[in-house]
Amino acid sequence: MKVETVDVPIDHYIDGKRVAGSAGFEVRTPIDNSVLGTCAAANKDLVDRAVGAAGVAFHPWAQAGAVARGAVLRRFAQRIRANKAALSIVESVDNGGLRHAIAAHIVERSAQNIEYFAARAEHIGGEAVSGSTNTDVVSYEPAGVAALITPWNGPLMLSTWKLGPALAAGNTVVLKPPELAPLSCSLLASLAEEAGVPPGVFNVVHGDGSVTGQALADHPGISRISFTGSPQTGRKVATAAAANLVPVSLELGGKSPFVVFASADLDAAAATAARQYFNAGQVCLAATRILAERSIAGPLLEKICEKVGAMRVGDPRDERTSIGPLISARQFERVTGFVDRARAQGAEVLFGGRQHSAGELYFEPTLIAPVSQESEIVQNEVFGPVLTWQTFDEEAEAIALANDTTYGLAAVIFTGDAAQAERAGRAIVAGTVWVNSFFVRNLAAPFGGFRKSGVGVEGGNHSFDFYCNVKNLSIDYVSFQRGASSTLTRLQ
């Protein structure tokens, strides 16, 4: 498939070869909702073939050792960097992400995801824990074949976030890219091949979740499943994994609070609030519920309106664009439905609330004052450029509102009081809480969600806790002396 100047393979990648599918599915660009072409779709037999290839490749890759694997993976990271222009073109056209942001940040972060875990894997395990009689030696052993299922809102970065630790740990991988944006992941497989990743170590199967994803999650040859997506699909993945007693790592949805206290730097808070519209709001970590202390609510709202008013909605290939399109017509209908129902229930649309003139799948950045905390627009994930606006009088009320959803992925707090930051940060139920900042991701730090936002933690050694079998070898070294003596006695 030709994407502007870039040739992108549209077949599966299995055992180091491109393999055609028995069927195909249409790939569209959200830029203008036109058809880019047809991508191969994998049935159960092709999934079985990919898992089989990964199974055969597992032992040689695992036994190569972390240092040897690291050398290959560093070359893989270098190939990602060397193809920044191509990856930026493909991902932007494929999922509507801002091309300038992909080129400036996403590609580099994707390379870092591979490099970081390659280096980290060389230093895990081997520690000895001494007891009263035995010495316990901890080792991290690769689990087997890992199934990686990634979402359409960040296919390149989120695939490498999973690939890095899975491959560095010594596992082999079958990656299922998102059917709405499969192309950058397909290109990634070609770069892995160029880097010398052995056949069967990294496989890619395309297709939708109901067929390809289900066959992968059900497969008895899979040892780990890492999934990023909706809670609804996450439940299906967990159910399939449970049948084979396969550990899962699930990063699911979010409905994160953005709490602004009276002592905050309002300019910084407003600028960060506007950033929640990044990627047309299609970011699970976005803090979409603005909670403002009543005494500063008016000035803060004015500043937010000013910041958002300066943002340009339009073609994501244009470096002047701040907000691009939604991924599909279905997603556009979902976002429109949320806004229309909120309006019908009496919510006040403070700005936005309708289709943008930029095109079919473009929606205006929107801010809604809901009727109540129980409103659908407050409680459920929209996954579009739609935020809600609420006020509070006291810190305890802010925390209660922040925690009053079924999610717990992330939160943002703006305050000028360090003690308040620590109190509120500890009290808010979320896997990551940013204070006076947003989207700062240290690869060594834990990342995961609470409640409906996910199961499991990754990042740093937490990733290896998941992608490895953590083993304890407990040895009574004194027994060797006793054993030698007793053996001698028996021989006499």
Side-chain angles (χ1 to χ4, degrees):
M1 182 185 300
K2 194 81 167 181
V3 180
E4 294 185 11
T5 59
V6 184
D7 289 314
V8 183
I10 46 80
D11 289 332
H12 313 294
Y13 182 74
I14 299 174
D15 201 18
K17 303 179 183 67
R18 290 291 173 177
V19 177
S22 57
F25 61 93
E26 199 173 69
V27 179
R28 291 176 174 267
T29 173
I31 293 174
D32 58 9
N33 204 24
S34 64
V35 177
L36 293 172
T38 300
C39 189
N43 57 19
K44 186 176 181 297
D45 290 341
L46 279 172
V47 169
D48 188 63
R49 181 173 168 182
V51 175
V56 170
F58 169 64
H59 289 292
W61 181 248
Q63 292 169 5
V67 174
R69 291 193 299 268
V72 175
L73 294 177
R74 288 182 182 91
R75 291 198 299 271
F76 185 17
Q78 290 169 0
R79 296 307 302 150
I80 291 172
R81 285 196 181 93
N83 286 270
K84 178 172 72 173
L87 288 166
S88 301
I89 288 170
V90 171
E91 180 123 326
S92 179
V93 170
D94 201 21
N95 85 334
L98 301 181
R99 182 168 298 179
H100 58 85
I102 297 168
H105 305 293
I106 301 302
V107 174
E108 175 59 26
R109 178 54 183 265
S110 299
Q112 289 175 3
N113 285 343
I114 302 295
E115 284 179 335
Y116 170 82
F117 288 107
R120 187 97 181 200
E122 297 176 8
H123 302 286
I124 62 167
E127 63 265 31
V129 182
S130 297
S132 57
T133 57
N134 285 24
T135 297
D136 297 310
V137 181
V138 180
S139 62
Y140 285 72
E141 301 182 354
V145 180
L148 310 181
I149 304 174
T150 56
W152 46 260
N153 62 319
L156 179 62
M157 185 170 71
L158 291 173
S159 292
T160 55
W161 164 250
K162 300 174 188 295
L163 277 170
L167 293 176
N171 301 293
T172 52
V173 162
V174 179
L175 171 68
K176 194 201 89 63
E179 58 268 33
L180 290 177
L183 300 183
S184 56
C185 291
S186 188
L187 191 56
L188 201 60
S190 297
L191 301 182
E193 183 177 4
E194 291 174 11
V197 175
V201 170
F202 176 25
N203 306 274
V204 176
V205 290
H206 297 289
D208 67 18
S210 63
V211 177
T212 310
Q214 190 69 49
L216 194 54
D218 285 336
H219 203 287
I222 295 296
S223 297
R224 294 291 188 274
I225 303 175
S226 179
F227 169 81
T228 301
S230 71
Q232 293 82 1
T233 306
R235 289 189 185 96
K236 295 178 182 178
V237 170
T239 299
N244 295 318
L245 295 178
V246 173
V248 296
S249 177
L250 306 175
E251 188 213 324
L252 307 177
K255 194 68 180 178
S256 302
F258 190 110
V259 183
V260 184
F261 291 103
S263 59
D265 178 336
L266 299 189
D267 288 320
T272 306
R275 287 182 62 199
Q276 309 311 303
Y277 293 110
F278 175 75
N279 207 29
Q282 299 168 126
V283 178
C284 57
L285 288 166
T288 57
R289 295 184 294 129
I290 301 177
L291 305 174
E293 191 161 351
R294 196 179 306 276
S295 63
I296 50 88
L300 177 62
L301 181 56
E302 288 181 8
K303 291 177 182 294
I304 291 174
C305 290
E306 179 184 352
K307 296 291 185 183
V308 176
M311 300 173 75
R312 175 173 176 165
V313 178
D315 191 322
R317 296 169 295 186
D318 188 333
E319 64 180 13
R320 297 169 297 174
T321 296
S322 305
I323 302 172
L326 293 165
I327 186 69
S328 66
R330 181 178 179 181
Q331 189 66 15
F332 185 90
E333 291 170 6
R334 172 183 169 83
V335 172
T336 302
F338 267 101
V339 174
D340 288 348
R341 289 190 297 274
R343 188 184 279 116
Q345 292 166 4
E348 181 184 1
V349 178
L350 300 176
F351 57 74
R354 60 182 60 84
Q355 184 179 34
H356 193 275
S357 59
E360 183 180 350
L361 302 182
Y362 296 77
F363 201 87
E364 294 178 341
T366 299
L367 185 63
I368 294 177
V371 173
S372 70
Q373 177 66 18
E374 292 71 36
S375 300
E376 176 195 46
I377 198 76
V378 175
Q379 293 294 324
N380 294 336
E381 185 177 43
V382 178
F383 221 59
V386 178
L387 310 184
T388 58
W389 173 264
Q390 295 170 275
T391 59
F392 63 88
D393 292 304
E394 297 179 349
E395 182 180 310
E397 182 186 2
I399 292 168
L401 290 171
N403 288 339
D404 189 21
T405 73
T406 57
Y407 294 96
L409 186 58
V412 174
I413 298 171
F414 268 81
T415 176
D417 183 336
Q420 183 177 62
E422 293 183 4
R423 283 195 311 270
R426 293 181 184 279
I428 290 175
V429 179
T432 300
V433 179
W434 284 289
V435 176
N436 297 340
S437 58
F438 174 64
F439 211 49
V440 178
R441 288 286 304 276
N442 183 338
L443 289 172
F447 177 76
F450 302 161
R451 298 171 171 172
K452 280 172 58 176
S453 289
V455 175
V457 177
E458 295 187 44
N461 277 8
H462 298 285
S463 290
F464 295 115
D465 289 339
F466 173 69
Y467 286 109
C468 293
N469 294 319
V470 184
K471 185 174 186 176
N472 177 32
L473 178 61
S474 186
I475 303 175
D476 179 358
Y477 282 103
V478 176
S479 69
F480 291 110
Q481 298 173 355
R482 295 197 302 267
S485 175
S486 62
T487 299
L488 180 62
T489 300
R490 287 196 300 273
L491 289 174
Q492 290 174 338

